[in-house]
Amino acid sequence: MIQQSSDSKLENPNKTLWEKGDFTEIAAFMRQSGEKVVESLAIQRPSRVLDLGCGDGTTAVPLARTGAHVLGIDIAENLVRAGNQRAAEAGLSLLTFQEGDACNLQGIADHSFDLTLSVFGAMFAPRPFDVASEMVRVTKPGGRIVMGNWIPNDSTSFVSQLLAISASYLPLPPEGFVSPMTWGVEARVIEYFAKAGVPIERISMIKDTYNFQSPDKTPEDLVELLGRFYGPTMNAFEAAEKNERGKELRSRLIALANEQNQSESNGVLIPATFLRVTVYL
């Protein structure tokens, strides 16, 4: 149980997790695929778009370049700060980043956005029914919700296997914990949105592929960065080191990255399957 002192707010474990490292270091491997996701959305101008769990703007920045008004919301203060810096440097006046919780989008009016997008972001929020309800609430009738979610136990998904291996070194989660990987299970996605009032015929799901790529990094470099900057992997390494299993975890992750890498040079090109969810309101 997290203790609350008399002079401080209750610590949010999810906020702590994503502020622990620096996801911008990992996002560098994701930029090209983020741009491709945005291209596939065929944004119509003018549009108002919410990018939920946006990080430092892997999809929010290319969204804004289409001419859309974009609000990026993330729970991590450091990522919001980095996103606003990227927007300013790119001269994207229609793009703003702010802190917020996908489970409770307080201050966001009903029916504010033509598109609510979340690519590997909102799935990590702890209360999925609340997340689905909030996404439906802030999206306009006739608008869309689009999510990219990792699929559990998928041998073709680098991240799914990364998270599964990492979890095997961690203590059991607390009672009541809902795995973020439930968002990669079609029946659970239907359940979450049905509770928010969305009929099943308005929910579409397909498998898609997201690439992690860098011409000047190696799979070993990627694992090193994950261990230093990606909250879930950082936690796994800390737990493994306490049990003198740090080298074992590192070896397993390097083997996974090398096995999944499809680069024909010395770079990184690792494809990862994900569940693409589209909800039509």
Side-chain angles (χ1 to χ4, degrees):
M1 177 180 293
I2 298 171
Q3 300 296 321
Q4 183 179 7
S5 66
S6 59
D7 59 352
S8 66
K9 295 180 180 179
L10 184 66
E11 184 179 26
N12 184 321
N14 214 40
K15 181 177 175 66
T16 302
L17 174 67
W18 296 109
E19 290 184 349
K20 183 170 188 170
D22 183 359
F23 190 75
T24 61
E25 297 287 340
I26 311 305
F29 289 82
M30 305 172 70
R31 301 298 192 206
Q32 289 176 273
S33 279
E35 291 172 0
K36 289 181 179 178
V37 167
V38 171
E39 288 175 11
S40 73
L41 295 171
I43 301 296
Q44 300 295 315
R45 299 175 65 182
S47 291
R48 293 187 59 83
V49 181
L50 171 63
D51 189 352
L52 192 54
C54 59
D56 71 338
T58 297
T59 48
V61 167
L63 278 166
R65 286 182 176 140
T66 70
H69 287 72
V70 182
L71 173 62
I73 292 182
D74 201 279
I75 199 166
E77 180 184 2
N78 57 325
L79 297 181
V80 168
R81 187 168 57 249
N84 278 317
Q85 182 176 340
R86 288 189 71 206
E89 291 173 351
L92 296 171
S93 60
L94 300 181
L95 171 59
T96 304
F97 293 80
Q98 69 181 47
E99 284 185 66
D101 186 343
C103 297
N104 180 13
L105 295 172
Q106 56 184 350
I108 304 297
D110 295 357
H111 309 150
S112 294
F113 300 98
D114 301 289
L115 169 67
T116 297
L117 175 70
S118 186
V119 181
F120 320 128
M123 66 173 288
F124 287 99
R127 302 193 303 277
F129 285 104
D130 290 349
V131 170
S133 177
E134 284 291 81
M135 288 194 290
V136 169
R137 179 182 69 79
V138 302
T139 307
K140 296 177 181 179
R144 288 179 293 167
I145 298 167
V146 178
M147 298 183 75
N149 302 325
W150 300 122
I151 303 169
N153 306 313
D154 189 334
S155 62
T156 63
S157 178
F158 170 73
V159 178
S160 296
Q161 294 182 76
L162 168 77
L163 293 172
I165 291 171
S166 297
S168 69
Y169 289 82
L170 293 168
L172 291 175
E175 185 177 355
F177 173 78
V178 180
S179 170
M181 303 304 285
T182 59
W183 276 108
V185 179
E186 294 190 11
R188 299 300 297 275
V189 172
I190 291 169
E191 181 183 6
Y192 296 150
F193 282 111
K195 186 72 178 294
V198 179
I200 187 172
E201 61 269 18
R202 291 186 172 271
I203 305 170
S204 170
M205 288 175 276
I206 60 170
K207 287 188 176 181
D208 206 341
T209 301
Y210 200 96
N211 290 319
F212 291 80
Q213 54 193 113
S214 173
D216 55 1
K217 298 290 186 182
T218 67
E220 290 80 3
D221 292 333
L222 175 58
V223 170
E224 176 67 20
L225 290 169
L226 288 165
R228 291 172 57 196
F229 298 113
Y230 184 55
T233 316
M234 294 170 71
N235 285 347
F237 270 109
E238 288 175 7
E241 293 289 355
K242 288 180 181 178
N243 295 304
E244 299 183 345
R245 298 177 66 196
K247 290 182 179 179
E248 173 191 303
L249 173 57
R250 182 170 284 100
S251 294
R252 290 182 67 185
L253 294 182
I254 289 174
L256 171 65
N258 277 307
E259 175 189 317
Q260 296 281 328
N261 191 30
Q262 295 184 7
S263 174
E264 296 180 357
S265 63
N266 292 323
V268 171
L269 177 58
I270 300 178
T273 304
F274 70 96
L275 184 67
R276 180 169 175 145
V277 178
T278 305
V279 177
Y280 301 93
L281 297 181

